[in-house]
Amino acid sequence: MKKVKEKLDFMYIRIAKVIEQQILNGALRTGDKLPSLRTICREYGVSQNTALSAYYNLESKMLIETKPQSGYYVRYSKTKVPALPQITKPEAEAHYADSELLVRKIYDGLGEDGHLALALGIPANELLPIAKLNKGLTVAMRELKGSGVMYDKIEGNERLRRQIARWSFAMEGHLNHDEIITTGGCLNALSYCMMALTKRGDTVAMESPISFGMLQLAQVLGVKVLELPSDPQHGIDLNALEDALKANKINVCLFISNFSNPLGSCMPDENKKQTVRLLEKYNIPLIENDLNGDIYFGQQRPKSCKTYDESGLVLWCSSVSKTLAPGYRVGWVAPGKFKNEVRRMKLYHSISSTSVTHEVIAWFLETGRYESHLRKLRHTLHGNMLKFSRAISDYFPEGTMATRPRGGFVIWVELPKAIDAVTLYEKCLRYKISFAPGRIFTLQNQYDNCLRLNYGLLWDEKLERDLKLLGELACREL
Amino acid sequence: MKKVKEKLDFMYIRIAKVIEQQILNGALRTGDKLPSLRTICREYGVSQNTALSAYYNLESKMLIETKPQSGYYVRYSKTKVPALPQITKPEAEAHYADSELLVRKIYDGLGEDGHLALALGIPANELLPIAKLNKGLTVAMRELKGSGVMYDKIEGNERLRRQIARWSFAMEGHLNHDEIITTGGCLNALSYCMMALTKRGDTVAMESPISFGMLQLAQVLGVKVLELPSDPQHGIDLNALEDALKANKINVCLFISNFSNPLGSCMPDENKKQTVRLLEKYNIPLIENDLNGDIYFGQQRPKSCKTYDESGLVLWCSSVSKTLAPGYRVGWVAPGKFKNEVRRMKLYHSISSTSVTHEVIAWFLETGRYESHLRKLRHTLHGNMLKFSRAISDYFPEGTMATRPRGGFVIWVELPKAIDAVTLYEKCLRYKISFAPGRIFTLQNQYDNCLRLNYGLLWDEKLERDLKLLGELACREL
């Protein structure tokens, strides 16, 4: 996989990456003049066009800027990036979710147009390959037996499961297709796993802050949530996890291993390995939510906890809802030794997935279209993340902190303590701007000054204006 | 609706219906000579072609036969129809489902080709309007915003909900689109309703025998099942229901009001009304599974219990999985006063339905294609039911009884007591014939000599041979 990727990466992207790296690590600083196009051509042995493309790429990420009749200069400033938030400090007691009013107020308009963009947790329409997916639908109609009007096998579309298995090798997952069960999206996979593994009154450990969808699922299943301290870069605090396991406080873990929602943290591979070993020691299953793993900004897809799973305790869940087609409802789970239990949940609660859309995704993966789409998507999202980071630094109140996600499409912002994000949220609504207040990502009294922004959008002037206005409204709260 | 239907019914169908009625009520008996084509033309004032079509229609149902150079004769004999089974007599105690081995043995091959046809509970591929559905997919790609790659609203596709509401008027349902929530099939709707209304240890009352899918759902949710005595024609015994309600034994009811599975019984409208009044008196909700209601063989769609619901206690569930496209996963529920609870289940367990297939079904209903497809499907299934009835009478052991469903696509057969249907099932497998043994439709020790057959198939010589062989194998068991 890696070799293929290198071959496919265009020269201009490789040049841009080198310079980007120098800017990000501070070797090049704001205002520094960059080599002329001619120098780039000579040094890398490329055409003028390629050199131009490299600079254009960096410009689109707002890392550099052109000054007419002078040349190219570094625009991005490391010192202008908001500081990173501290590791979170939730209480060590598990809680039942009992209120949902705030979440519902914000998300009742899901599917509506308008001002919700920054509050949502899915990429915008414009970033999805709609025409290619339609082509896939046409192919599926023609090739799938009965054009997909009949039920799938219970385990799901075999072609899709083979593709997911093949794909898993990229992260050394070594899965076989018959270890995989397809589902109607990642949430649907997580719901089957939770129903298979928990009973009322159990405790599920999650990172804190937590995707509110997980809190809602816990609520409806009557399980308690133990929030674990989490680092904005490296995710779950392993010491806290071990303490809770020792104290016999956890029945099941549910972690977003890569580019968590809302923090954007990514567990280093070594931490993943340690986590799995720890859970093996205490014989506690891990439901791994890896729905963002394919949206990495680095060189390689981060591994999953499943990669290190030797005892079948990890249930690896993912989907294409965050990268390709949320409305297709295509997800999957590799449930390890809990395969029978999860399969039964699928059979008893819904019989079959939607045959035709699952076939489309199989085709998309098989023909290499997924890989090529992801390259574009990652590039766009990485650029957006840098732009958001810069905008937060430019417009938000002094002392604002923000995460620096290396993947996914959400950024977590900590405003000065004096600002209440829910109050700010209500004021912003009047200006048709929205975001997800931090308070909805926890069951405890915390994150009142935090918010989550979705940068999975098409960057344009209106978006920049909205972020500016949001920042100004926040400043007024002080 | 009724007027429209009459206008649309072709003359030949009306003539055929008159004669069919005379045959079914015994006015015309086996061997009776029918009026000549010339007489039909004169009496009804129709062309020779129309008269021929009427007789062809009756022939295809095996009600009449041609004798060369002699004319048309009645073939079907009322006296040759198997006797009706008695009302069922399950115990009045609720049970937990704990075994599922037999069911799994039979259904693990779901989706495979071959010998499962008679055992399944869905209509065959060949009866579904695949080309028209594909046309719908093409339209949906073009007309649906973002071609359906994005999430639907939580409540589901509005166009579809408006069509379902419109459709509900046919049974005097008077539903408004905003009372409806779409789901991924009828089972998915039932699962949300059950999760919203029951907790572990509750008792759910169902008809007996019961669709095994409901037993599995009850098992996985940890609720007990109270099996109610049921009449093969009229469904639930209302006295038994009232006794159980008086004794405070029921938390929730889950009934298939029209053309139940596996009995094929249909509650008379008066019984539906009484049922709803009774449940109102005891304030017990009814989850109504009406997935077969559109497949009626009579003049009019039977009403639903929902029609009589004044207090919002009825959660009306249905789908197009038994009539149009099982693999599209399109179902819905009108949850009455439990709308918020059911909506929350959908949101927390799966967020959205599959946008594109739901749009196709909306289009199918909107353009009148559903009505026209149903007319054909009902005609085919009615013919098949009569053929199955005749074949059972011809080939099955003396003393065999069978239901006479007036809709749906399953028939329930009671073999002589001495025959064990599971033993017979295993012998039949060697001949690549299958069926659903009665034992899997109950949690009690009963129905050992019963079986369910699916007549939702394309009738051909092979099918007749299979039924003959099945009958012979049954005879050998005596």
Side-chain angles (χ1 to χ4, degrees):
Chain A
M1 290 300 287
K2 211 183 147 189
K3 266 201 178 151
V4 174
K5 213 181 317 172
E6 270 171 15
K7 234 196 283 174
L8 289 169
D9 263 6
F10 293 106
M11 196 58 200
Y12 81 89
I13 292 186
R14 290 165 69 184
I15 298 170
K17 271 186 186 155
V18 171
I19 299 172
E20 178 176 334
Q21 205 44 51
Q22 292 175 305
I23 296 174
L24 292 182
N25 68 22
L28 287 167
R29 313 216 297 201
T30 316
D32 281 358
K33 192 168 195 293
L34 290 161
S36 69
L37 289 174
R38 192 169 303 179
T39 314
I40 295 286
C41 294
R42 205 181 48 234
E43 273 187 21
Y44 289 90
V46 296
S47 69
Q48 176 113 352
N49 257 344
T50 304
L52 248 174
S53 298
Y55 276 3
Y56 182 70
N57 178 299
L58 291 164
E59 241 184 316
S60 77
K61 288 183 184 165
M62 298 204 171
L63 290 168
I64 68 170
E65 59 191 336
T66 338
K67 292 188 184 166
Q69 281 154 2
S70 167
Y72 293 88
Y73 291 82
V74 176
R75 175 179 183 186
Y76 175 89
S77 150
K78 205 188 162 190
T79 56
K80 277 199 81 186
V81 176
L84 270 177
Q86 299 291 305
I87 187 166
T88 60
K89 295 186 191 68
E91 296 164 27
E93 287 312 309
H95 293 258
Y96 282 111
D98 53 1
S99 159
E100 43 146 3
L101 289 174
L102 188 58
V103 178
R104 293 179 72 186
K105 197 164 171 183
I106 294 170
Y107 290 91
D108 262 10
L110 190 80
E112 311 277 5
D113 289 328
H115 59 276
L116 274 169
L118 284 168
L120 292 179
I122 45 167
N125 233 335
E126 294 82 1
L127 304 182
L128 303 176
I130 295 176
K132 282 183 188 151
L133 287 164
N134 282 345
K135 157 100 178 147
L137 266 176
T138 314
V139 173
M141 267 188 244
R142 200 172 56 225
E143 292 185 0
L144 189 58
K145 200 191 143 199
S147 296
V149 303
M150 299 304 284
Y151 288 141
D152 253 351
K153 283 187 178 193
I154 297 162
E155 287 80 4
N157 184 304
E158 188 167 323
R159 210 168 147 191
L160 177 59
R161 283 152 59 226
R162 287 190 188 277
Q163 287 305 313
I164 296 163
R166 197 191 61 134
W167 200 253
S168 80
F169 277 79
M171 44 160 188
E172 292 166 35
H174 306 298
L175 287 170
N176 193 296
H177 76 279
D178 60 16
E179 297 170 79
I180 295 164
I181 296 172
T182 68
T183 62
C186 189
L187 177 58
N188 189 224
L190 297 168
S191 140
Y192 291 149
C193 293
M194 287 282 280
M195 288 199 285
L197 296 184
T198 66
K199 54 182 197 307
R200 237 160 232 284
D202 277 359
T203 296
V204 179
M206 309 186 188
E207 58 267 315
S208 179
I210 314 160
S211 149
F212 57 84
M214 297 304 96
L215 296 178
Q216 291 175 323
L217 187 57
Q219 184 198 352
V220 88
L221 297 176
V223 300
K224 281 182 284 191
V225 175
L226 178 67
E227 302 185 34
L228 294 175
S230 300
D231 181 88
Q233 303 266 54
H234 306 308
I236 300 279
D237 176 348
L238 293 189
N239 294 326
L241 174 61
E242 184 157 19
D243 289 348
L245 287 168
K246 260 189 207 153
N248 207 6
K249 279 181 170 177
I250 301 178
N251 299 96
V252 173
C253 289
L254 194 164
F255 298 156
I256 308 183
S257 44
N258 295 317
F259 319 123
S260 69
N261 174 8
L263 268 193
S265 64
C266 180
M267 293 172 86
D269 289 347
E270 184 51 36
N271 286 21
K272 287 173 184 147
K273 192 170 170 182
Q274 275 188 48
T275 300
V276 176
R277 292 293 95 82
L278 206 50
L279 294 175
E280 273 167 1
K281 188 171 150 194
Y282 292 92
N283 195 31
I284 299 296
L286 166 60
I287 303 172
E288 181 181 23
N289 181 347
D290 191 17
L291 83 171
N292 291 328
D294 289 340
I295 318 175
Y296 53 93
F297 303 150
Q299 287 301 312
Q300 253 187 309
R301 192 201 194 284
K303 294 191 176 41
S304 64
C305 293
K306 186 75 185 168
T307 307
Y308 304 102
D309 182 26
E310 284 163 12
S311 52
L313 276 172
V314 180
L315 303 91
W316 178 66
C317 302
S318 191
S319 78
V320 295
S321 301
K322 305 294 180 179
T323 51
L324 266 185
Y328 273 30
R329 310 317 292 128
V330 180
W332 56 86
V333 48
K337 67 177 181 183
F338 305 102
K339 191 186 161 197
N340 281 339
E341 290 84 344
V342 172
R343 181 184 180 280
R344 199 177 306 168
M345 287 298 154
K346 179 176 176 187
L347 175 60
Y348 293 1
H349 286 281
S350 66
I351 307 180
S352 165
S353 306
T354 310
S355 305
V356 69
T357 53
H358 282 239
E359 177 80 1
V360 175
I361 300 304
W363 172 86
F364 220 86
L365 267 71
E366 221 173 82
T367 53
R369 283 174 170 82
Y370 190 46
E371 181 68 39
S372 124
H373 163 67
L374 277 181
R375 262 201 308 278
K376 267 183 266 173
L377 182 67
R378 286 193 290 254
H379 180 245
T380 308
L381 292 177
H382 188 191
N384 283 3
M385 189 274 285
L386 294 172
K387 287 167 198 159
F388 267 64
S389 193
R390 197 256 318 142
I392 291 164
S393 152
D394 280 355
Y395 306 128
F396 280 46
E398 189 72 31
T400 297
M401 292 180 277
T403 53
R404 287 171 212 157
R406 280 171 292 189
F409 43 85
V410 293
I411 192 166
W412 176 254
V413 180
E414 257 186 62
L415 298 167
K417 285 274 177 211
I419 300 179
D420 177 60
V422 174
T423 314
L424 177 61
Y425 170 78
E426 277 158 9
K427 290 187 182 160
C428 284
L429 277 189
R430 286 182 231 150
Y431 297 88
K432 296 197 180 302
I433 299 174
S434 185
F435 56 80
R439 199 60 187 73
I440 67 178
F441 299 96
T442 178
L443 300 176
Q444 306 178 13
N445 277 320
Q446 50 182 342
Y447 312 136
D448 288 326
N449 58 323
C450 300
L451 57 92
R452 185 195 73 179
L453 294 175
N454 167 29
Y455 57 79
L457 305 169
L458 208 62
W459 182 267
D460 57 12
E461 278 175 25
K462 182 181 176 306
L463 186 51
E464 170 112 32
R465 271 204 312 276
D466 281 354
L467 287 172
K468 189 173 176 194
L469 183 53
L470 175 52
E472 285 168 4
L473 290 168
C475 290
R476 275 191 230 161
E477 290 296 298
L478 282 173
Chain B
M1 288 298 286
K2 212 181 147 187
K3 268 202 176 149
V4 174
K5 214 184 314 170
E6 270 170 16
K7 234 195 286 177
L8 287 169
D9 263 4
F10 292 106
M11 196 58 200
Y12 80 89
I13 292 186
R14 290 166 68 182
I15 299 170
K17 270 185 187 155
V18 171
I19 300 173
E20 178 176 331
Q21 206 43 50
Q22 291 177 306
I23 295 174
L24 292 182
N25 67 23
L28 287 168
R29 312 217 298 200
T30 316
D32 282 359
K33 195 168 191 297
L34 291 161
S36 69
L37 289 175
R38 191 167 306 178
T39 314
I40 295 285
C41 293
R42 203 181 49 234
E43 274 187 20
Y44 289 91
V46 296
S47 71
Q48 175 113 352
N49 257 343
T50 303
L52 247 174
S53 296
Y55 276 2
Y56 181 72
N57 178 297
L58 292 164
E59 240 184 316
S60 77
K61 287 184 184 167
M62 297 205 172
L63 290 170
I64 68 170
E65 58 191 337
T66 339
K67 292 189 182 164
Q69 280 152 1
S70 166
Y72 292 88
Y73 290 83
V74 175
R75 177 178 181 187
Y76 175 88
S77 150
K78 204 189 166 190
T79 57
K80 278 199 80 188
V81 175
L84 269 177
Q86 300 290 306
I87 187 167
T88 60
K89 294 186 190 67
E91 297 165 24
E93 288 310 309
H95 293 258
Y96 281 111
D98 51 2
S99 159
E100 44 146 1
L101 288 174
L102 188 59
V103 178
R104 293 180 72 184
K105 198 164 169 180
I106 294 169
Y107 290 90
D108 262 9
L110 190 81
E112 310 277 5
D113 289 328
H115 59 274
L116 274 169
L118 285 169
L120 291 180
I122 44 167
N125 232 335
E126 293 83 359
L127 304 182
L128 303 176
I130 296 176
K132 282 182 188 151
L133 288 165
N134 282 347
K135 158 99 176 147
L137 267 176
T138 314
V139 173
M141 266 188 249
R142 199 173 55 224
E143 292 186 0
L144 188 59
K145 198 191 147 202
S147 295
V149 304
M150 299 306 283
Y151 289 141
D152 253 352
K153 281 188 180 193
I154 296 161
E155 287 81 3
N157 185 303
E158 188 167 324
R159 210 169 146 189
L160 177 60
R161 284 152 59 224
R162 286 189 188 276
Q163 288 305 313
I164 296 164
R166 196 191 62 135
W167 201 252
S168 80
F169 278 80
M171 44 162 188
E172 293 168 34
H174 306 297
L175 288 170
N176 194 296
H177 76 279
D178 59 17
E179 296 171 80
I180 295 164
I181 296 172
T182 68
T183 62
C186 189
L187 175 58
N188 189 224
L190 297 169
S191 140
Y192 290 149
C193 293
M194 287 281 280
M195 289 198 287
L197 295 184
T198 67
K199 55 182 194 305
R200 240 160 231 285
D202 276 359
T203 296
V204 180
M206 309 187 189
E207 57 267 314
S208 180
I210 314 160
S211 150
F212 57 84
M214 296 305 96
L215 296 178
Q216 292 175 324
L217 187 57
Q219 184 198 352
V220 90
L221 297 176
V223 301
K224 282 184 283 190
V225 175
L226 177 68
E227 302 184 33
L228 294 175
S230 300
D231 181 88
Q233 303 265 55
H234 306 307
I236 300 279
D237 176 349
L238 292 189
N239 294 327
L241 174 61
E242 185 157 19
D243 289 348
L245 286 168
K246 260 187 206 153
N248 207 6
K249 278 181 170 178
I250 300 177
N251 300 96
V252 173
C253 289
L254 194 164
F255 299 156
I256 309 184
S257 45
N258 295 317
F259 318 124
S260 69
N261 174 6
L263 269 193
S265 64
C266 180
M267 292 172 85
D269 288 347
E270 184 51 37
N271 286 21
K272 285 173 185 148
K273 192 171 171 180
Q274 275 188 47
T275 301
V276 175
R277 294 291 96 83
L278 207 49
L279 294 175
E280 272 167 2
K281 187 171 153 196
Y282 292 92
N283 195 30
I284 298 296
L286 165 61
I287 304 172
E288 181 181 25
N289 181 348
D290 192 16
L291 83 173
N292 291 329
D294 288 339
I295 320 175
Y296 54 91
F297 303 151
Q299 287 300 314
Q300 253 187 309
R301 192 200 194 284
K303 294 194 174 41
S304 65
C305 293
K306 186 73 186 169
T307 306
Y308 304 101
D309 183 27
E310 286 164 10
S311 52
L313 276 172
V314 180
L315 302 91
W316 177 65
C317 303
S318 192
S319 77
V320 295
S321 300
K322 305 294 181 181
T323 52
L324 266 186
Y328 272 30
R329 312 316 294 126
V330 180
W332 56 85
V333 48
K337 68 178 181 183
F338 305 102
K339 191 186 162 198
N340 281 339
E341 290 84 342
V342 172
R343 181 184 181 280
R344 199 178 307 169
M345 287 298 154
K346 178 176 177 188
L347 174 61
Y348 293 1
H349 287 280
S350 66
I351 307 179
S352 164
S353 306
T354 309
S355 306
V356 69
T357 54
H358 282 238
E359 176 80 2
V360 175
I361 300 304
W363 173 84
F364 220 86
L365 268 72
E366 220 174 83
T367 54
R369 283 173 169 85
Y370 189 46
E371 182 68 38
S372 126
H373 162 68
L374 278 180
R375 263 203 306 277
K376 266 184 265 174
L377 182 68
R378 286 194 290 254
H379 179 245
T380 308
L381 291 177
H382 188 193
N384 283 3
M385 190 275 285
L386 295 172
K387 288 167 197 160
F388 268 61
S389 192
R390 198 255 318 141
I392 290 165
S393 153
D394 281 353
Y395 306 128
F396 280 46
E398 189 71 34
T400 296
M401 291 180 278
T403 54
R404 287 172 212 156
R406 282 171 289 190
F409 43 85
V410 292
I411 193 165
W412 177 255
V413 180
E414 257 186 63
L415 298 167
K417 284 275 177 210
I419 300 178
D420 177 59
V422 174
T423 314
L424 177 62
Y425 170 77
E426 276 158 9
K427 288 185 182 161
C428 283
L429 277 190
R430 287 183 230 149
Y431 296 88
K432 297 197 179 299
I433 298 174
S434 185
F435 57 78
R439 196 63 186 71
I440 66 177
F441 298 97
T442 178
L443 300 176
Q444 306 179 12
N445 277 320
Q446 51 182 342
Y447 312 136
D448 288 326
N449 58 323
C450 300
L451 56 92
R452 185 195 74 179
L453 295 175
N454 167 29
Y455 58 79
L457 304 169
L458 208 62
W459 182 267
D460 57 12
E461 280 176 21
K462 185 184 172 302
L463 188 49
E464 170 111 33
R465 272 203 313 277
D466 281 354
L467 287 173
K468 190 175 177 196
L469 182 53
L470 175 52
E472 285 168 4
L473 289 168
C475 290
R476 274 191 230 162
E477 289 296 297
L478 282 174

